[in-house]
Amino acid sequence: MEYYNIMIIKFLENPFLVLFLLLLSLNYSYFLIPKFPKGIPRIIALSPIFYILYFFPWCFSFAFLRGILSFFITWITSFKLILFCFNKGPLSLCKNPIDFILISIFPLKISKYEIFDEKSVRNTFNKPIYDVKIVDREYEISEENSTRKISDESISDLKIPRDVSQKYEIFDINIFKRYEVEEIFKQPYLATSFRDFWGKRWNRYSSKMLRLTIYDPTNEALKNLSFLGKNTSNLLAIVSTFVVSAIMHELMFYYITCGLCLKPTCEVMWFFVLQGICISCEKVFHAKNWVIMDARISILLKRIFIVFSFYFLLVLPVVREGKNTCEVTK
């Protein structure tokens, strides 16, 4: 099996071939996957694509490039495709293959805009005016003086007058800015808690993907278990999310350190598991209104803990084991 994997990498050393294979995989995902039933059948149909995304970073020799590609391609693109299998996430908003490819690979999202030009439609047709605005994962639909919201899954059920929809193509009118760049960092040095740091300030891009793919479905599933309370379900969902994050970061570290030749150290993984435990403890203290020290001292200690644990469990292993280039050997 290892020899087979190495032969695949050797075959994909041509960067043009690698890029072509990636584009071909994403086009397959866009055009053919929606023809399968939503859910597990789509994931099974995408299994060859996940295999290609796993090998993609190994086709490049430089450690830094492998680390970047393992994050954006192996991790985030895979998670976006999983969400797409359930008609959720940013890829479910894509209406053409170009949108699909760009949003799959890069930290982009479809911008918020109005679909219809109200004034021109009102002058042309004596019919109710439909204004549709995309707000993250919800659509806000206004009909004259009333407003209602629908989710991703029900957007296809929106009934628009035939003559209006024919003259005004959806997603093509008054687009001032087609894409928006996902915000990745938001002044993490101002974090006042573990939840604030990991949920709102540090790597918001991956946090969003983890929330959509792991936290939300896990929390929803656990809530349906009668013997678990709401708080317990929430804590278990948080820990599960950080465990998955830890595994993905360990995989990134595996790429950076030429993992075909080295064994995983799990130091990186334990860093994120530790952070998940800290957030859970912090949430319990907040729910119980337990205060053991002044808020300013607490914030300072939390920042120091994050910095030191980050350095010893994340930075040092990369510096110790990382290599500038990685040669694949038989």
Side-chain angles (χ1 to χ4, degrees):
M1 182 65 180
E2 182 178 351
Y3 177 78
Y4 173 72
N5 293 340
I6 293 175
M7 291 303 297
I8 292 178
I9 297 171
K10 291 288 188 181
F11 177 73
L12 296 178
E13 284 181 346
N14 187 325
F16 296 102
L17 181 59
V18 170
L19 181 59
F20 173 76
L21 186 60
L22 177 62
L23 296 178
L24 185 65
S25 300
L26 294 177
N27 274 281
Y28 162 82
S29 303
Y30 177 77
F31 287 106
L32 296 182
I33 293 303
K35 299 183 182 299
F36 291 87
K38 182 178 68 174
I40 301 300
R42 291 187 182 183
I43 292 180
I44 295 174
L46 274 174
S47 55
I49 308 304
F50 293 135
Y51 189 71
I52 291 173
L53 296 179
Y54 165 74
F55 271 107
F56 188 79
W58 292 122
C59 302
F60 302 88
S61 60
F62 293 102
F64 178 77
L65 182 58
R66 286 199 311 277
I68 296 296
L69 293 175
S70 65
F71 175 74
F72 286 104
I73 304 297
T74 305
W75 178 358
I76 300 299
T77 300
S78 296
F79 275 32
K80 287 180 179 179
L81 289 174
I82 292 173
L83 290 171
F84 182 64
C85 291
F86 296 90
N87 290 340
K88 296 181 179 180
L91 296 182
S92 63
L93 304 179
C94 298
K95 300 302 177 183
N96 59 70
I98 296 178
D99 284 352
F100 192 88
I101 291 172
L102 291 177
I103 293 177
S104 295
I105 298 174
F106 301 106
L108 300 173
K109 60 182 177 181
I110 300 293
S111 63
K112 304 169 186 177
Y113 52 82
E114 294 186 5
I115 296 178
F116 296 103
D117 186 320
E118 178 176 340
K119 184 178 179 180
S120 60
V121 175
R122 187 182 298 277
N123 292 337
T124 306
F125 305 100
N126 186 22
K127 293 182 179 291
I129 306 304
Y130 292 77
D131 290 332
V132 182
K133 296 179 180 179
I134 298 177
V135 184
D136 290 336
R137 297 164 62 203
E138 286 190 330
Y139 298 80
E140 188 175 279
I141 301 175
S142 301
E143 303 177 35
E144 295 293 337
N145 298 322
S146 64
T147 301
R148 61 191 176 94
K149 290 185 177 181
I150 62 177
S151 63
D152 288 348
E153 297 185 11
S154 55
I155 187 65
S156 59
D157 298 329
L158 175 61
K159 304 301 182 182
I160 301 174
R162 181 180 300 275
D163 44 4
V164 176
S165 62
Q166 288 176 347
K167 187 168 183 64
Y168 295 92
E169 292 292 334
I170 296 180
F171 301 107
D172 286 331
I173 296 180
N174 289 338
I175 301 178
F176 300 102
K177 186 179 179 183
R178 183 64 178 168
Y179 307 106
E180 292 181 6
V181 179
E182 293 273 10
E183 187 178 31
I184 298 181
F185 297 104
K186 187 178 181 180
Q187 298 177 308
Y189 50 85
L190 296 180
T192 58
S193 65
F194 291 112
R195 287 181 295 171
D196 183 37
F197 180 82
W198 291 110
K200 299 179 180 179
R201 298 185 180 276
W202 182 266
N203 204 343
R204 290 161 54 88
Y205 185 43
S206 64
S207 296
K208 177 182 177 181
M209 289 298 105
L210 286 166
R211 174 175 59 82
L212 295 176
T213 55
I214 308 301
Y215 176 81
D216 286 350
T218 302
N219 191 37
E220 193 65 29
L222 292 176
K223 282 182 179 178
N224 296 327
L225 300 178
S226 57
F227 60 89
L228 290 177
K230 180 180 179 180
N231 292 332
T232 303
S233 301
N234 186 258
L235 291 177
L236 291 176
I238 290 174
V239 173
S240 300
T241 303
F242 270 88
V243 169
V244 173
S245 177
I247 294 172
M248 300 311 297
H249 279 87
E250 185 68 31
L251 180 62
M252 290 174 57
F253 178 69
Y254 199 51
Y255 284 112
I256 294 173
T257 58
C258 301
L260 286 178
C261 307
L262 301 174
K263 294 182 179 180
T265 64
C266 295
E267 292 170 284
V268 176
M269 185 178 70
W270 283 115
F271 168 76
F272 288 95
V273 172
L274 180 62
Q275 299 302 315
I277 294 173
C278 289
I279 289 182
S280 300
C281 293
E282 183 181 68
K283 190 173 181 65
V284 171
F285 272 69
H286 184 266
K288 300 289 185 179
N289 291 321
W290 291 344
V291 179
I292 60 177
M293 65 181 68
D294 183 77
R296 290 170 295 183
I297 298 176
S298 175
I299 292 173
L300 178 61
L301 292 178
K302 289 173 183 176
R303 290 175 179 174
I304 292 175
F305 176 80
I306 290 174
V307 170
F308 272 81
S309 60
F310 181 87
Y311 177 76
F312 285 104
L313 294 177
L314 203 62
V315 176
L316 280 185
V318 173
V319 173
R320 182 179 67 245
E321 303 290 349
K323 295 183 179 181
N324 291 329
T325 61
C326 181
E327 296 294 335
V328 180
T329 59
K330 294 184 179 181

